[in-house]
PDB file of all heavy atoms in Angstrom:
ATOM      1  N   ASN S 173      12.092  11.675  -6.584  1.00 98.00           N
ATOM      2  CA  ASN S 173      13.010  12.098  -7.670  1.00 98.00           C
ATOM      3  C   ASN S 173      13.471  10.852  -8.426  1.00 98.00           C
ATOM      4  O   ASN S 173      14.672  10.772  -8.794  1.00 98.00           O
ATOM      5  CB  ASN S 173      14.185  12.900  -7.076  1.00 98.00           C
ATOM      6  CG  ASN S 173      14.944  13.682  -8.127  1.00 98.00           C
ATOM      7  OD1 ASN S 173      14.478  13.787  -9.305  1.00 98.00           O
ATOM      8  ND2 ASN S 173      16.129  14.182  -7.809  1.00 98.00           N
ATOM      9  N   GLY S 174      12.571   9.972  -8.649  1.00 98.00           N
ATOM     10  CA  GLY S 174      12.882   8.751  -9.420  1.00 98.00           C
ATOM     11  C   GLY S 174      13.545   7.701  -8.636  1.00 98.00           C
ATOM     12  O   GLY S 174      13.462   7.691  -7.406  1.00 98.00           O
ATOM     13  N   MET S 175      14.253   6.781  -9.312  1.00 98.00           N
ATOM     14  CA  MET S 175      14.888   5.622  -8.630  1.00 98.00           C
ATOM     15  C   MET S 175      16.109   5.219  -9.409  1.00 98.00           C
ATOM     16  O   MET S 175      16.358   5.692 -10.497  1.00 98.00           O
ATOM     17  CB  MET S 175      13.917   4.482  -8.473  1.00 98.00           C
ATOM     18  CG  MET S 175      13.354   3.894  -9.773  1.00 98.00           C
ATOM     19  SD  MET S 175      11.994   2.733  -9.401  1.00 98.00           S
ATOM     20  CE  MET S 175      11.539   2.218 -11.086  1.00 98.00           C
ATOM     21  N   LEU S 176      16.863   4.303  -8.767  1.00 98.00           N
ATOM     22  CA  LEU S 176      18.093   3.758  -9.434  1.00 98.00           C
ATOM     23  C   LEU S 176      18.957   4.911  -9.952  1.00 98.00           C
ATOM     24  O   LEU S 176      19.338   5.003 -11.106  1.00 98.00           O
ATOM     25  CB  LEU S 176      17.701   2.789 -10.594  1.00 98.00           C
ATOM     26  CG  LEU S 176      16.981   1.530 -10.130  1.00 98.00           C
ATOM     27  CD1 LEU S 176      16.492   0.736 -11.366  1.00 98.00           C
ATOM     28  CD2 LEU S 176      17.849   0.654  -9.259  1.00 98.00           C
ATOM     29  N   TRP S 177      19.340   5.793  -9.010  1.00 98.00           N
ATOM     30  CA  TRP S 177      20.161   6.938  -9.354  1.00 98.00           C
ATOM     31  C   TRP S 177      21.575   6.486  -9.759  1.00 98.00           C
ATOM     32  O   TRP S 177      22.089   5.469  -9.273  1.00 98.00           O
ATOM     33  CB  TRP S 177      20.298   7.846  -8.138  1.00 98.00           C
ATOM     34  CG  TRP S 177      19.025   8.517  -7.753  1.00 98.00           C
ATOM     35  CD1 TRP S 177      17.841   8.641  -8.460  1.00 98.00           C
ATOM     36  CD2 TRP S 177      18.776   9.260  -6.514  1.00 98.00           C
ATOM     37  NE1 TRP S 177      16.913   9.376  -7.751  1.00 98.00           N
ATOM     38  CE2 TRP S 177      17.461   9.749  -6.554  1.00 98.00           C
ATOM     39  CE3 TRP S 177      19.546   9.517  -5.413  1.00 98.00           C
ATOM     40  CZ2 TRP S 177      16.940  10.485  -5.546  1.00 98.00           C
ATOM     41  CZ3 TRP S 177      18.983  10.234  -4.336  1.00 98.00           C
ATOM     42  CH2 TRP S 177      17.709  10.747  -4.405  1.00 98.00           C
ATOM     43  N   PRO S 178      22.256   7.212 -10.674  1.00 98.00           N
ATOM     44  CA  PRO S 178      21.755   8.455 -11.305  1.00 98.00           C
ATOM     45  C   PRO S 178      20.886   8.199 -12.581  1.00 98.00           C
ATOM     46  O   PRO S 178      20.279   9.128 -13.057  1.00 98.00           O
ATOM     47  CB  PRO S 178      23.058   9.125 -11.686  1.00 98.00           C
ATOM     48  CG  PRO S 178      24.004   8.049 -12.020  1.00 98.00           C
ATOM     49  CD  PRO S 178      23.654   6.918 -11.027  1.00 98.00           C
ATOM     50  N   ASP S 179      20.910   6.998 -13.108  1.00 98.00           N
ATOM     51  CA  ASP S 179      20.218   6.744 -14.408  1.00 98.00           C
ATOM     52  C   ASP S 179      18.761   7.152 -14.377  1.00 98.00           C
ATOM     53  O   ASP S 179      18.239   7.674 -15.331  1.00 98.00           O
ATOM     54  CB  ASP S 179      20.369   5.293 -14.804  1.00 98.00           C
ATOM     55  CG  ASP S 179      21.821   4.797 -14.882  1.00 98.00           C
ATOM     56  OD1 ASP S 179      22.453   4.732 -13.789  1.00 98.00           O
ATOM     57  OD2 ASP S 179      22.301   4.573 -15.984  1.00 98.00           O
ATOM     58  N   GLY S 180      18.078   6.797 -13.230  1.00 98.00           N
ATOM     59  CA  GLY S 180      16.621   7.038 -13.182  1.00 98.00           C
ATOM     60  C   GLY S 180      16.238   8.222 -12.337  1.00 98.00           C
ATOM     61  O   GLY S 180      15.122   8.315 -11.868  1.00 98.00           O
ATOM     62  N   LYS S 181      17.175   9.190 -12.214  1.00 98.00           N
ATOM     63  CA  LYS S 181      16.899  10.401 -11.457  1.00 98.00           C
ATOM     64  C   LYS S 181      15.900  11.272 -12.225  1.00 98.00           C
ATOM     65  O   LYS S 181      16.293  11.807 -13.285  1.00 98.00           O
ATOM     66  CB  LYS S 181      18.154  11.145 -11.089  1.00 98.00           C
ATOM     67  CG  LYS S 181      18.050  12.069  -9.907  1.00 98.00           C
ATOM     68  CD  LYS S 181      19.419  12.522  -9.383  1.00 98.00           C
ATOM     69  CE  LYS S 181      19.310  13.111  -7.984  1.00 98.00           C
ATOM     70  NZ  LYS S 181      20.643  13.403  -7.439  1.00 98.00           N
ATOM     71  N   ALA S 182      14.721  11.511 -11.710  1.00 98.00           N
ATOM     72  CA  ALA S 182      13.673  12.149 -12.476  1.00 98.00           C
ATOM     73  C   ALA S 182      13.983  13.591 -12.871  1.00 98.00           C
ATOM     74  O   ALA S 182      13.699  14.054 -13.931  1.00 98.00           O
ATOM     75  CB  ALA S 182      12.344  12.084 -11.740  1.00 98.00           C
ATOM     76  N   SER S 183      14.684  14.284 -11.980  1.00 98.00           N
ATOM     77  CA  SER S 183      14.947  15.712 -12.225  1.00 98.00           C
ATOM     78  C   SER S 183      16.007  15.850 -13.317  1.00 98.00           C
ATOM     79  O   SER S 183      16.131  16.951 -13.957  1.00 98.00           O
ATOM     80  CB  SER S 183      15.460  16.407 -10.966  1.00 98.00           C
ATOM     81  OG  SER S 183      16.634  15.742 -10.415  1.00 98.00           O
ATOM     82  N   GLU S 184      16.771  14.801 -13.584  1.00 98.00           N
ATOM     83  CA  GLU S 184      17.752  14.819 -14.619  1.00 98.00           C
ATOM     84  C   GLU S 184      17.289  14.143 -15.910  1.00 98.00           C
ATOM     85  O   GLU S 184      17.702  14.527 -17.014  1.00 98.00           O
ATOM     86  CB  GLU S 184      19.048  14.181 -14.144  1.00 98.00           C
ATOM     87  CG  GLU S 184      19.695  14.932 -12.996  1.00 98.00           C
ATOM     88  CD  GLU S 184      20.963  14.277 -12.445  1.00 98.00           C
ATOM     89  OE1 GLU S 184      21.407  13.307 -13.042  1.00 98.00           O
ATOM     90  OE2 GLU S 184      21.437  14.771 -11.409  1.00 98.00           O
TER      91      GLU S 184
END
Side-chain angles (χ1 to χ4, degrees):
N173 196 11
M175 60 189 180
L176 296 172
W177 293 348
D179 303 71
K181 201 165 196 175
S183 59
E184 296 178 6

